[in-house]
Amino acid sequence: MSNLAILPIIIPLLSGIILAFFPKKLTLVRLLSKLFIIGNLLVSGFVLYTVYTSGSIILETGAWPAPYGIIIVADSLSILLVFTTNIVAAACAFYAPHSLSDRKEQHYFYAFFFFLITGVSGAFLTGDIFNMFVFFEVLLMASYALIVLGGDKIQLRESIKYVLINLFSSILFVTAVAFLYATVGTVNMAQIAQRVQEVDQQGILTTIGILLFFVFATKAALFPLYYWMPNSYIEPNPVISALFGALLTKVGIYAIIRVFSLIFIYKIDMTHEIFIWIAGLSMIFGIIGALSTNNIKLIIAYNIIPAIGFIIMGIGIFNETAVSGSIYYLVHDMIIKTALFLIAGTVTYVAGTSDLRKFSGLIHYYPVLGWLLFLAAFVLAGIPPFSGFIGKLLLLTGALSESEIAIVIIALISSLLILYSIMKIFIKGFWGVKDASFQPKSTKGLIGPIAFLLALSVILGIGAEFFIPSIENISAYLLDPEIYIDSVLKE
Amino acid sequence: METLIIVLAGVLVSVATYLLLSKSVIRVILGTAILSHAAHLLIITMGGLKTGGVPLLGEKDSSYTDALPQALILTSIVISFAVTAIMLVLGYRAYQKLGTDNLLEMRGFDDE
């Protein structure tokens, strides 16, 4: 029964291994990868249902009791994110065959795709900090292969920088784990949390906490550490950018949420105050980046940074409303960022360029694509009936109840500018005079996944009444680390 | 003994940082290799360098050294080995395609 928890890791791992055997048989590989990802989506949906009806599933691998073996914890937060990951991945798997060239698909794209999903699910589900490092490396290693797939000049140039910064932060992660092990003598997260409450070495523990935050903030592209992200995310194929934009930075954010709601919670006035500042600065600098460019892919990539800022702001405020806002926004942002990257990829494909100054009037040829972009801009900016609104409303209510006025003003202004930066694509690229010499290309298969993702985020917004109670349960669960510790250590 | 190894790790980190900030790709890759050495040394030191038997049950010692950091290091070594291999191939391919190993010449976009 408790083996259910590991299925979302095992299925993509086995799928990746199977697909690595016959990379040249494209029809078979495409069919199998769609089947596998839908199977994985259904299984993780079933695990999600089980967790929400009968509580967290804890798997002690190899039947070693909790602090001694590696444990897999499928609690309400991690399994929700795994399910969202699989939704995003399924949309990407259906988009990929129409977007990638045959040559790229033959060079093990689907195998690396499934290894990426393995790493992301593993990082969400693990209950052991060194194991989390290993799953980070699994997903990073797959992402190194995906980012350089194709081997264009610009890709090679950007991937050197990408690999380098991630390698550096991984080594820092190992160092931080070593310090933590020296201080508390364990790598199991529940036991670390328990011992942190007992020992009184708070100075060194806060230092380790900030070091871990530095590591995760590099992965999540927060304010001073986002410089590597925008350019390296726009160079690979759109479907790969979409996977990166939706999953990789969010794993860093999940690690921050987990570590700073479970382990380092004894000095909130210092650590979490820093988060609020960093959140504000991320919003400001991210939105400046998004407004500064005419490259549509770069506009979307820069929009990741303020979104991460919104999520980290909820963690910084750390009351129940704000944390549930963060979780809601996290799920919403994973879905909408994938949709936006896929839209940007489709627009680049049909227009033949990603430079906004070079095309206009696309609405005459692609009305559906145009209105999908319009809808996505509304969802992202947080116009009331859609999902971005609910998350931001919860975050801002939480911030106001703690009288953090400055961050509220920054958040509201940056929401406005986010809307402007996306509408700029719509106004410049889709409106305007009809270009008679334009040769329309077929968008067969490209629109479906985008429409699916946008429909989901509309449902997420309109059906908020249905989702909010479980989100609030997760938030209450996160604010009380004793529940996690007790369920893992069984005391 | 711990103090000595920590000073050594510190020297390795500073050498690695200096190399990471240099212009040539190959020096940067050497820097990452040295940095991972420093991290591994740090793990073994942080686990404690107390004298005890090697962690083999056949040795029948009264006490053993901590086995967990050794397992962590072994995992970390193979991971950094793999990433170093990727970095070296990436540097080689970039040299072939871009015709330079100078990081300062690898910046900017054509369309900016």
Side-chain angles (χ1 to χ4, degrees):
Chain A
M1 179 57 198
S2 65
N3 284 339
L4 271 180
I6 203 156
L7 285 179
I9 306 175
I10 291 287
I11 296 173
L13 179 63
L14 289 178
S15 315
I17 293 171
I18 292 168
L19 292 176
F21 278 109
F22 33 80
K24 306 278 178 199
K25 298 195 172 80
L26 276 184
T27 335
L28 181 64
V29 168
R30 286 171 186 163
L31 180 70
L32 278 182
S33 64
K34 283 172 191 168
L35 283 180
F36 286 148
I37 196 70
I38 287 180
N40 197 26
L41 179 63
L42 293 177
V43 168
S44 55
F46 177 66
V47 183
L48 179 80
Y49 174 75
T50 319
V51 169
Y52 277 81
T53 47
S54 50
S56 308
I57 305 175
I58 317 277
L59 171 64
E60 292 168 338
T61 53
W64 289 94
Y68 305 112
I70 289 172
I71 51 157
I72 304 288
V73 186
D75 59 12
S76 43
L77 173 63
S78 55
I79 198 67
L80 178 67
L81 294 177
V82 168
F83 184 65
T84 319
T85 301
N86 278 299
I87 291 176
V88 166
C92 288
F94 279 86
Y95 188 92
H98 303 282
S99 164
L100 289 159
S101 63
D102 284 1
R103 195 174 136 261
K104 287 186 184 174
E105 281 183 281
Q106 280 173 349
H107 284 82
Y108 300 96
F109 168 77
Y110 291 103
F112 287 124
F113 169 77
F114 278 106
F115 292 143
L116 185 74
I117 306 298
T118 313
V120 173
S121 308
F124 285 146
L125 288 171
T126 184
D128 181 293
I129 199 138
F130 192 79
N131 196 232
M132 184 186 254
F133 161 74
V134 174
F135 275 119
F136 265 86
E137 287 303 310
V138 171
L139 74 92
L140 285 174
M141 215 74 92
S143 77
Y144 300 155
L146 286 175
I147 199 170
V148 79
L149 188 69
D152 294 339
K153 278 187 178 179
I154 296 182
Q155 269 181 312
L156 283 167
R157 199 164 65 187
E158 291 307 317
S159 49
I160 285 185
K161 299 170 194 169
Y162 176 78
V163 176
L164 201 59
I165 188 76
N166 278 301
L167 179 54
F168 181 73
S169 74
S170 295
I171 293 174
L172 271 188
F173 194 177
V174 176
T175 318
V177 171
F179 288 147
L180 200 55
Y181 180 69
T183 317
V184 293
T186 175
V187 286
N188 179 296
M189 291 206 272
Q191 205 185 12
I192 294 174
Q194 197 183 34
R195 293 206 176 156
V196 161
Q197 291 169 7
E198 288 163 4
V199 298
D200 279 329
Q201 302 195 356
Q202 296 193 338
I204 189 73
L205 279 171
T206 311
T207 315
I208 297 168
I210 298 295
L211 189 58
L212 274 177
F213 176 73
F214 184 85
V215 171
F216 297 141
T218 315
K219 312 273 188 205
L222 274 165
F223 156 61
L225 305 161
Y226 67 82
Y227 46 84
W228 56 274
M229 192 269 283
N231 282 338
S232 58
Y233 272 25
I234 63 170
E235 284 318 318
N237 190 278
V239 62
I240 298 169
S241 310
L243 279 172
F244 283 15
L247 304 179
L248 298 194
T249 51
K250 306 305 183 292
V251 177
I253 276 294
Y254 167 78
I256 292 177
I257 296 180
R258 184 57 91 197
V259 166
F260 285 91
S261 71
L262 181 65
I263 301 173
F264 303 104
I265 43 167
Y266 50 84
K267 211 163 184 191
I268 288 179
D269 53 330
M270 186 198 146
T271 47
H272 290 55
E273 188 65 32
I274 297 177
F275 294 175
I276 298 181
W277 281 97
I278 287 180
L281 289 166
S282 300
M283 289 176 201
I284 295 171
F285 280 81
I287 204 65
I288 289 175
L291 293 175
S292 69
T293 173
N294 274 313
N295 183 336
I296 46 177
K297 289 180 169 177
L298 208 53
I299 293 176
I300 312 288
Y302 268 115
N303 262 307
I304 295 177
I305 301 164
I308 300 284
F310 276 110
I311 301 168
I312 202 78
M313 159 189 161
I315 310 303
I317 294 161
F318 211 59
N319 62 22
E320 199 168 320
T321 326
V323 174
S324 44
S326 280
I327 296 160
Y328 196 92
Y329 203 85
L330 181 57
V331 174
H332 144 82
D333 197 60
M334 282 168 88
I335 294 174
I336 190 68
K337 280 287 142 52
T338 321
L340 273 171
F341 269 109
L342 295 182
I343 290 175
T346 315
V347 172
T348 310
Y349 167 71
V350 296
T353 171
S354 61
D355 191 337
L356 268 183
R357 289 165 294 193
K358 291 185 182 155
F359 63 91
S360 67
L362 284 184
I363 197 90
H364 298 290
Y365 298 98
Y366 304 102
V368 180
L369 184 62
W371 293 115
L372 283 176
L373 174 63
F374 187 75
L375 181 64
F378 271 32
V379 174
L380 186 71
I383 305 292
F386 303 119
S387 57
F389 172 71
I390 317 284
K392 279 179 188 163
L393 182 68
L394 288 168
L395 283 170
L396 296 182
T397 322
L400 281 178
S401 69
E402 303 280 326
S403 334
E404 299 278 357
I405 305 296
I407 192 79
V408 171
I409 295 169
I410 294 174
L412 285 173
I413 293 175
S414 73
S415 298
L416 195 68
L417 293 174
I418 286 171
L419 182 65
Y420 172 68
S421 70
I422 304 287
M423 288 310 276
K424 199 167 88 172
I425 305 178
F426 186 74
I427 292 169
K428 286 195 177 174
F430 281 83
W431 282 356
V433 284
K434 191 173 173 176
D435 188 353
S437 64
F438 187 73
Q439 299 286 331
K441 293 176 191 156
S442 160
T443 55
K444 180 177 160 292
L446 298 177
I447 298 293
I450 301 172
F452 166 70
L453 288 170
L454 281 176
L456 271 183
S457 49
V458 170
I459 293 171
L460 203 59
I462 292 173
E465 290 283 325
F466 176 74
F467 299 108
I468 289 290
S470 33
I471 300 281
E472 278 173 348
N473 281 344
I474 298 176
S475 165
Y477 166 80
L478 280 181
L479 290 179
D480 186 4
E482 293 301 325
I483 309 176
Y484 182 93
I485 297 172
D486 289 346
S487 67
V488 170
L489 296 179
K490 298 202 177 62
E491 282 167 29
Chain B
M1 191 62 192
E2 271 91 346
T3 320
L4 193 66
I5 302 291
I6 284 173
V7 171
L8 176 61
V11 171
L12 285 178
V13 169
S14 32
V15 170
T17 314
Y18 180 75
L19 283 174
L20 281 175
L21 294 175
S22 58
K23 289 178 197 165
S24 153
V25 173
I26 201 79
R27 275 169 167 264
V28 171
I29 299 173
L30 283 176
T32 62
I34 292 175
L35 192 62
S36 63
H37 282 315
H40 299 153
L41 260 182
L42 211 57
I43 303 179
I44 202 87
T45 319
M46 290 290 123
L49 293 173
K50 293 165 209 73
T51 42
V54 287
L56 293 170
L57 288 179
E59 297 288 314
K60 301 214 174 7
D61 278 311
S62 56
S63 73
Y64 296 95
T65 43
D66 194 350
L68 185 74
Q70 304 188 12
L72 300 189
I73 289 175
L74 199 56
T75 316
S76 178
I77 284 174
V78 290
I79 290 173
S80 58
F81 181 58
V83 183
T84 309
I86 291 182
M87 276 298 284
L88 283 168
V89 175
L90 210 57
Y92 179 60
R93 286 284 295 155
Y95 178 68
Q96 276 185 327
K97 272 231 163 185
L98 304 170
T100 176
D101 75 332
N102 189 335
L103 282 169
L104 288 182
E105 290 168 18
M106 288 192 196
R107 59 182 180 188
F109 280 88
D110 305 334
D111 54 348
E112 267 171 10

